Amino acid sequence: MSPQPQAAVGRPVSRVEGRLKVTGQAKYAADQTASGTAHAAVVDSSIARGRITGLDTAAAEACPGVLRVISHRNAPTLPYLPNRGSLNLPGERLHVFQDDRVLFHGQPVAVVVATTLEAAQHAASLVHVQYTAEPSATDLTSAPADEPTTYARGDAAAALASAAVRLDLTYRLSRMHHNPMEPHAIVTRWDGAELTVWDKTQWVQSTRDELAAVFGINPASVRVISPYVGGAFGNAARCWPHATIAALAAREAGRPVKLVLTRRQLYFGVGYRPAYEYRLSIGSDLQGRLTASVHDLRSETSRYETFAERGVLVPGRMLYTTPNVTQSHRTVPLDVNTPTPMRGPGYSTAAFPIESAVDELAHELGIDPIELRRRNEPENDQASGLPFSTRRLRECYTVGAREFGWNRRNPKPRTTRDGDWLIGMGVATAVYDTLRAPAQAHVRLDARGTAVVESATSDMGPGTYTSMSQVAADALGIDVPQVTFRLGDTTLPQAPVHGGSLTMASIGSTVQDGCDRVRQQAIALAVGDERSPLYGADPAAVVVYDGRLHVKGDPARGETYRQLLTRNDRTHLEATGSYTPAQSRASMHAYGAVFAEVAVDARLGMVRVRRMLGVYDAGRIISPKLADSQAIGGMVGGIGAALMEHTVTDHRDGRIVNANLAEYLVPVNADVPALKAIYLNGRDDQADPIGVKGLGEVVLVGVAPAVANAVFHATGRRVRHLPIAPEDLL
Amino acid sequence: MYPFTFTTARDTRAALEAGRNGGRYIAGGTTLVDLMRETVERPGTLVDISPLPLRFVTVTARGGVRIGALVTMTDAAAHPAIRRLYPVVSAALELSASAQLRNMATIGGNIMQRTRCTYFRDVTAACNKRDPGSGCAAIGGFNRTHAILGTSDACVATHPSDLAVALTALDAKVRLAGSSGTRSVAIADFLLLPGATPDREQALRPGELITAVDIPAHPRPLRSGYLKVRDRQSYEFALAAAAVALHSSGGVIRTAKVAAGGVGTVPWRLSAVERHLIGRRPSTRLWSSAAELAAEGAKPLTHNRFKIELLQRTVERELRIVGGTA
Ligand SMILES: Cc1cc2nc3c(=O)[nH]c(=O)nc-3n(C[C@H](O)[C@H](O)[C@H](O)COP(=O)(O)OP(=O)(O)OC[C@H]3O[C@@H](n4cnc5c(N)ncnc54)[C@H](O)[C@@H]3O)c2cc1C
Ligand code: SF4
């Protein structure tokens, strides 16, 4: 723990970049205008599988303002060197414009570069492509699967056979798209062999390394800049094919090129959360103690890459005491583009079947669902045998039940009415593992007592700028406004992907380390300086507060950074902080208990979430206001997953039918009721030096099953697929 | 978007002149521009009609209402006379789109809006409405939101307007101006069934302009309301909707006007339901027996069978809400 007073951390600081954003001054990727920038528009395939047999670009090329039309007919061969970074997957990434093959509906088949966006888009609509289509498969339920990934402990088949109670259930989850407000956008500029890229990305290094590999150039020749990201939810972690298209277009056209994907293109130009079939058998004794569970999962992937959601098998192994478990996860290769992690990846998928099944079991046995979970609370991580660093799930439920008024719930389904509405309450557990990764940050404190802290991380929305400024402010003993945090540039010290809820833990620890070093330099300077009031003091006893170093317990004895540095003719102090996660000797996860109350129109099937509460064991909360934004956003996302979100594919030709925000429904304000989050006070010191477990992912997990369980409680109808639509409840 | 020229009509004569020369009227632009961006619509000339003097609401002594074609959805919904006399109209409008859209969108544009069928809006899909003779991707495709009433082998798309459903129930008329003068067409005749020509959606002659909508005076005061069932609570089209207007006296229903939305290729007048109601005493049983007639003749598709039951229940509920259970 830091010896420094924690004045900024724990305070509900408003976003330091908020003003820039709300006044339109924050420059996102598409706002960049390198001089002479041309615009690109992509032509997408209209079949799911086959070959391009004809490509007529004459009309497009004849349009005023069109500079180039690039397709496999005229594109140069690109090196596409192997790149095991950039979150590339087993298989081979899509190569753009390298041959006549079509691998999915919407695959880029040509790009038009023009002097204006309008000209590019219009010309793109005039490119006439002919195909010979081959039979395609896009339906998860009917296609053959890959070899499974498996896990087993004990003898689940035998335990299931002899279980007092057995449930054998199949759940289905729809494909979902991230749908951030900001579309994917990129501006690329070549200066000789040097490439500069302004990208929407959660990881500048990912774009840099991928473009370097695709074009066969040195990563050092690529600079990627991404100061602001308008939401991503995981979708901007990989570097998608359009980045290559933009860089190729810029090279061919001999000028900077801007490419902004259309909303429609975001449904096939970048990844999505895959659809699942999740068969789950559970066995228990009559007291509801789980004896066995068997998990059979099938999920979609593309034919050219294998995407298996990380973490989807974890909750089934460790969430509840279960002596006998078998799991098998098969990916099903289809004529679709490759999926990608989406908020709460894996865990939120698994939470729906597991938390629904636990609810079903509770109902079957007449045991309160919270009590049933308590009875299955494990002493340690049953998959790894490791102790939990911290696991306060019981407490989450205790606090949540009290705050939510759980005891007012009549356990019998379909018993509570309010006019035409049936009222129900449901709960579900949230869990997500605590990830950390090595990172670096540079800290420079100048003689005015202001600091610049830099790391090549990202801020896709959680408030990295703000939370890092808070950590830095306390570690340096200055105010938040005195700190400038910089991110999103490959010239800055390296950082891991901004995803998986690892940013606070990893970058936060790094920032703290760098600031500690600078503060200690200052203290060393002061205690060794005869002219300083701190001369001779024990360095360990010196703290800094409000820009002033002083002896702990003797505030009068001290001086400011400014006095110290000026007197010593130092313009600044600087240090590079770093963080390398310690080998974990514990099972580390963030937890939560999610409570939902819904009203379901008894005759019309409409579901309304009335209120929701999440109680989280997420370690230390650095920035409560940002945390609330995360929690509320997670709950809103979960309401969407439960009741609306569903990417619809027409399996005849692989077309995404609802590739726009009028048809792909997400919650609107009217769908979002009072949402509340409570964070258990505490910290996880085994996780990382600043005691945080990560919050952005866990807050989505468990929301959809809590809603689904509430719908069951309201109606007595168990819907085993998401989203739940009115017709499921008629 | 295809290139186009943009002109502004200062008065009705200029608008009609431009319309006669193939110009396409644009009012709020809230749906036409979207369709142009998707290249579903490719007008060569846009004629902005917003300066025309069509932003009035007038009320006749007997309770008829004339709404100018350029009145915004917001203003029409909030008009005191409309609120008082025809709450079904206000409700249908306020349950439409979003506040931002309603502030821009006009009554004329609302009636003229085209289907939300996603295949219609995706130019790479087969669609008889957009591209006559190309086929209908929805019939064998994803058709959960499509129509169960008034469909043809050529097209099964719903008419999306909520307002038009309320207007259909109220026997409203559309006032049209053309080069050969003005005329008035019942809304039920104005919006066309798809038949073999789903590309023809309105009984509008080339260059004709909607100037107003007339809600006729109803001899007896009506109680009315609109119920919309949808996948989210706002900003979404109807899976099923019911417009109901009733007059009872002496404990007996004398006037019944009922129309359904979200289920028909045009707003669907439920005459059988109306006939069943008239002369009977309001009761829970009456509402449900009447509502059973709501889906007469329905032809469900692969994914929208549920709409039959949903329609009946929606009508039943709205009859109860408007008619009470006395
Ligand atoms: C996301 C979204 C959700 C929506 N949800 C709903 C909903 O729930 N319910 C609902 O009813 N509507 C809904 N709408 C549709 C909305 O109501 C219409 O877009 C709007 O009413 C159109 O009016 P406008 O003035 O903007 O028309 P414009 O876009 O200007 O024009 C539409 C059409 O009408 C023609 N036109 C306009 N005025 C005249 C005239 N006076 N004479 C002849 N032709 C004319 C134009 O040529 C054009 O073909 C939604 C729209 C969007 C984009
Ligand atoms: S239902 Fe009508 S609008 Fe939709 S695809 Fe078929 S023809 Fe086109």
Side-chain angles (χ1 to χ4, degrees):
Chain A
M1 265 191 87
S2 172
Q4 279 288 104
Q6 299 294 294
V9 168
R11 202 150 49 82
V13 174
S14 291
R15 283 172 196 266
V16 297
E17 84 292 10
R19 192 178 179 81
L20 287 181
K21 282 184 174 166
V22 299
T23 53
Q25 294 173 76
K27 283 203 171 203
Y28 293 82
D31 298 327
Q32 301 298 334
T33 40
S35 81
T37 299
H39 297 263
V42 176
V43 181
D44 319 303
S45 81
S46 56
I47 61 164
R49 182 187 169 94
R51 281 181 193 282
I52 303 167
T53 52
L55 203 114
D56 183 355
T57 57
E61 274 158 358
C63 283
V66 170
L67 301 169
R68 282 277 189 295
V69 182
I70 306 166
S71 69
H72 74 282
R73 295 263 166 104
N74 59 357
T77 302
L78 294 173
Y80 274 103
L81 302 181
N83 171 19
R84 274 196 264 124
S86 301
L87 305 171
N88 282 338
L89 296 167
E92 180 55 34
R93 70 264 226 224
L94 185 79
H95 292 196
V96 290
F97 311 148
Q98 300 293 294
D99 59 35
D100 62 355
R101 294 282 331 167
V102 173
L103 302 178
F104 59 88
H105 193 111
Q107 177 187 314
V109 295
V111 64
V112 177
V113 189
T115 49
T116 66
L117 177 62
E118 291 75 12
Q121 287 180 338
H122 178 54
S125 74
L126 299 179
V127 173
H128 184 65
V129 190
Q130 281 171 310
Y131 305 93
T132 43
E134 296 161 14
S136 61
T138 55
D139 188 355
L140 171 68
T141 55
S142 53
D146 292 325
E147 283 302 302
T149 303
T150 59
Y151 169 83
R153 70 168 176 254
D155 184 345
L160 208 53
S162 62
V165 187
R166 239 183 347 256
L167 298 177
D168 181 6
L169 308 161
T170 300
Y171 298 89
R172 292 195 167 76
L173 292 98
S174 298
R175 184 194 285 197
M176 289 195 278
H177 273 83
H178 307 62
N179 275 311
M181 284 303 290
E182 182 199 18
H184 280 262
I186 186 164
V187 177
T188 52
R189 186 184 74 200
W190 292 90
D191 301 289
E194 304 280 306
L195 176 62
T196 306
V197 176
W198 291 265
D199 192 17
K200 173 204 172 99
T201 178
Q202 291 166 246
W203 198 14
V204 285
Q205 285 104 318
S206 155
T207 303
R208 178 194 63 194
D209 294 350
E210 177 66 356
L211 288 177
V214 169
F215 287 89
I217 57 179
N218 190 332
S221 305
V222 184
R223 179 174 177 197
V224 180
I225 303 166
S226 179
Y228 300 104
V229 175
F233 309 111
N235 205 328
R238 270 194 91 176
C239 175
W240 299 107
H242 69 272
T244 298
I245 295 177
L248 175 65
R251 207 172 68 176
E252 295 297 302
R255 40 169 129 182
V257 163
K258 179 186 293 187
L259 173 56
V260 182
L261 294 188
T262 63
R263 183 58 65 179
R264 183 187 290 279
Q265 286 169 335
L266 295 176
Y267 289 83
F268 37 73
V270 295
Y272 52 88
R273 193 199 299 279
Y276 273 86
E277 244 175 41
Y278 195 122
R279 186 168 164 198
L280 177 56
S281 306
I282 54 174
S284 91
D285 65 17
L286 290 173
Q287 284 70 48
R289 282 184 295 257
L290 295 169
T291 54
S293 65
V294 176
H295 308 247
D296 283 310
L297 292 70
R298 282 163 61 90
S299 64
E300 49 183 349
T301 187
S302 68
R303 288 207 196 277
Y304 52 97
E305 286 172 314
T306 303
F307 174 79
E309 265 190 313
R310 194 192 69 82
V312 72
L313 295 176
V314 177
R317 292 174 198 172
M318 56 66 70
L319 195 49
Y320 300 117
T321 307
T322 320
N324 305 286
V325 178
T326 55
Q327 294 181 311
S328 120
H329 179 192
R330 290 166 202 271
T331 48
V332 180
L334 298 168
D335 299 299
V336 299
N337 62 311
T338 310
T340 207
M342 178 166 158
R343 198 171 193 180
Y347 288 82
S348 76
T349 301
F352 173 57
I354 293 173
E355 291 303 292
S356 296
V358 166
D359 199 69
E360 299 204 35
L361 181 65
H363 176 69
E364 196 78 14
L365 291 168
I367 300 173
D368 177 82
I370 296 178
E371 172 56 26
L372 186 113
R373 287 175 173 86
R374 283 187 204 284
R375 291 183 190 177
N376 290 289
E377 181 67 14
E379 288 311 311
N380 64 0
D381 185 321
Q382 302 214 317
S384 61
L386 295 173
F388 296 116
S389 58
T390 49
R391 170 162 164 140
R392 299 163 68 194
L393 184 55
R394 286 173 202 260
E395 216 178 319
C396 290
Y397 273 112
T398 306
V399 171
R402 188 181 62 224
E403 293 292 316
F404 203 66
W406 183 255
N407 61 2
R408 292 201 301 270
R409 174 182 182 265
N410 178 341
K412 216 168 160 267
R414 213 180 172 94
T415 47
T416 311
R417 258 193 185 259
D418 179 358
D420 289 318
W421 299 91
L422 298 163
I423 312 300
M425 282 193 214
V427 289
T429 299
V431 58
Y432 195 81
D433 56 347
T434 300
L435 298 174
R436 300 129 332 132
Q440 295 186 338
H442 185 262
V443 181
R444 181 190 154 112
L445 175 78
D446 68 24
R448 284 166 313 181
T450 62
V452 175
V453 183
E454 302 176 314
S455 177
T457 181
S458 163
D459 188 350
M460 65 168 144
T464 315
Y465 281 110
T466 309
S467 56
M468 297 309 156
S469 300
Q470 287 175 265
V471 170
D474 281 352
L476 291 169
I478 59 181
D479 280 348
V480 171
Q482 313 303 117
V483 180
T484 302
F485 189 75
R486 294 209 183 108
L487 52 70
D489 190 328
T490 45
T491 59
L492 302 179
Q494 67 86 23
V497 60
H498 174 48
S501 284
L502 55 69
T503 302
M504 195 67 246
S506 311
I507 313 296
S509 298
T510 311
V511 166
Q512 170 148 308
D513 179 60
C515 293
D516 282 348
R517 287 168 196 257
V518 168
R519 188 187 73 249
Q520 280 151 8
Q521 281 179 27
I523 292 170
L525 190 61
V527 300
D529 177 358
E530 289 176 12
R531 294 160 300 172
S532 170
L534 291 165
Y535 179 62
D538 172 8
V542 178
V543 294
V544 188
Y545 185 75
D546 207 7
R548 189 168 170 280
L549 301 81
H550 66 86
V551 174
K552 206 170 184 172
D554 184 7
R557 186 178 169 198
E559 64 172 329
T560 64
Y561 279 134
R562 182 195 288 262
Q563 289 164 329
L564 174 69
L565 268 68
T566 314
R567 191 175 62 246
N568 283 283
D569 285 332
R570 302 286 284 269
T571 56
H572 66 278
L573 301 174
E574 65 185 324
T576 296
S578 72
Y579 168 66
T580 311
Q583 249 241 298
S584 67
R585 268 173 260 104
S587 166
M588 297 185 293
H589 294 82
Y591 296 92
V594 188
F595 291 75
E597 181 180 295
V598 302
V600 182
D601 190 300
R603 299 269 299 155
L604 302 176
M606 294 182 287
V607 180
R608 299 192 168 173
V609 179
R610 286 196 159 182
R611 59 196 180 101
M612 196 170 252
L613 167 70
V615 183
Y616 304 104
D617 159 24
R620 185 146 158 259
I621 300 299
I622 300 293
S623 196
K625 198 168 173 183
L626 295 173
D628 271 350
S629 294
Q630 287 300 299
I632 287 168
M635 288 187 237
V636 173
I639 292 172
L643 302 175
M644 294 162 215
E645 293 192 49
H646 178 193
T647 307
V648 181
T649 306
D650 188 328
H651 295 306
R652 295 172 303 176
D653 60 5
R655 174 188 314 275
I656 307 297
V657 178
N658 57 342
N660 60 69
L661 283 174
E663 254 73 39
Y664 181 102
L665 301 188
V666 297
V668 295
N669 281 322
D671 299 301
V672 179
L675 306 175
K676 188 176 168 191
I678 296 173
Y679 316 94
L680 298 184
N681 211 355
R683 46 187 297 144
D684 189 334
D685 284 314
Q686 288 187 64
D688 49 76
I690 62 172
V692 307
K693 296 212 267 187
L695 185 70
E697 313 277 2
V698 74
V699 290
L700 184 89
V701 183
V703 178
V707 172
N709 292 340
V711 167
F712 170 75
H713 180 238
T715 63
R717 300 274 282 273
R718 179 66 66 177
V719 181
R720 297 197 182 91
H721 61 248
L722 296 182
I724 298 171
E727 59 261 43
D728 298 320
L729 300 169
L730 290 184
Chain B
M1 203 185 297
Y2 277 65
F4 59 91
T5 54
F6 188 88
T7 61
T8 302
R10 295 282 154 215
D11 54 38
T12 306
R13 246 199 33 226
L16 290 175
E17 167 88 31
R20 201 165 46 240
N21 295 327
R24 182 68 174 275
Y25 301 130
I26 181 165
T30 59
T31 183
L32 182 55
V33 175
D34 275 2
L35 289 169
M36 289 169 66
R37 287 215 180 98
E38 297 286 359
T39 72
V40 173
E41 297 270 21
R42 301 171 184 185
T45 305
L46 284 186
V47 183
D48 178 12
I49 56 171
S50 53
L52 305 192
L54 303 174
R55 288 180 200 272
F56 54 83
V57 177
T58 50
V59 186
T60 65
R62 296 177 49 230
V65 176
R66 175 168 290 179
I67 310 172
L70 288 174
V71 175
T72 64
M73 291 169 74
T74 300
D75 289 346
H79 194 278
I82 296 177
R83 262 204 209 297
R84 182 166 42 85
L85 294 167
Y86 304 111
V88 61
V89 171
S90 291
L93 286 167
E94 282 171 347
L95 294 171
S96 296
S98 66
Q100 294 90 330
L101 284 160
R102 294 194 298 270
N103 286 342
M104 280 302 287
T106 66
I107 298 302
N110 185 286
I111 296 169
M112 291 293 294
Q113 68 175 296
R114 309 193 69 186
T115 183
R116 305 303 298 191
C117 170
T118 59
Y119 298 100
F120 170 73
R121 283 165 186 259
D122 178 349
V123 290
T124 67
C127 172
N128 289 324
K129 191 185 274 301
R130 172 172 34 75
D131 184 7
S134 63
C136 169
I139 289 174
F142 184 70
N143 47 40
R144 172 176 180 265
T145 55
H146 287 69
I148 52 173
L149 291 160
T151 55
S152 72
D153 292 345
C155 180
V156 294
T158 54
H159 192 276
S161 166
D162 291 294
L163 171 67
V165 178
L167 295 178
T168 298
L170 295 175
D171 302 303
K173 291 190 162 61
V174 182
R175 278 183 72 81
L176 303 167
S179 38
S180 51
T182 61
R183 62 187 183 119
S184 189
V185 181
I187 183 136
D189 299 325
F190 182 73
L191 298 174
L192 305 177
L193 286 166
T197 54
D199 53 311
R200 281 213 67 215
E201 294 171 329
Q202 302 93 8
L204 203 63
R205 297 177 188 143
E208 248 178 343
L209 176 76
I210 300 177
T211 54
V213 168
D214 284 328
I215 303 173
H218 289 102
R220 309 182 180 115
L222 298 173
R223 294 184 50 140
S224 69
Y226 191 77
L227 177 65
K228 184 172 176 182
V229 178
R230 45 184 163 172
D231 285 318
R232 66 181 168 196
Q233 292 179 49
S234 177
Y235 203 25
E236 173 57 339
F237 293 89
L239 290 171
V244 170
L246 301 174
H247 172 84
S248 313
S249 62
V252 171
I253 297 170
R254 309 285 173 187
T255 308
K257 296 173 173 298
V258 186
V263 290
T265 52
V266 293
W268 208 252
R269 187 75 184 254
L270 301 178
S271 314
V273 175
E274 295 175 354
R275 281 194 302 272
H276 186 82
L277 292 168
I278 288 173
R280 291 201 161 87
R281 291 176 176 278
S283 74
T284 314
R285 275 228 313 284
L286 179 64
W287 307 141
S288 75
S289 59
E292 269 170 33
L293 305 170
E296 255 186 7
K299 279 201 225 134
L301 303 160
T302 335
H303 305 113
N304 69 4
R305 179 168 293 278
F306 73 94
K307 281 193 174 185
I308 293 182
E309 185 140 34
L310 186 61
L311 168 62
Q312 292 168 336
R313 294 180 179 198
T314 305
V315 170
E316 177 191 22
R317 173 70 59 81
E318 192 55 14
L319 286 173
R320 193 196 79 203
I321 291 170
V322 173
T325 40

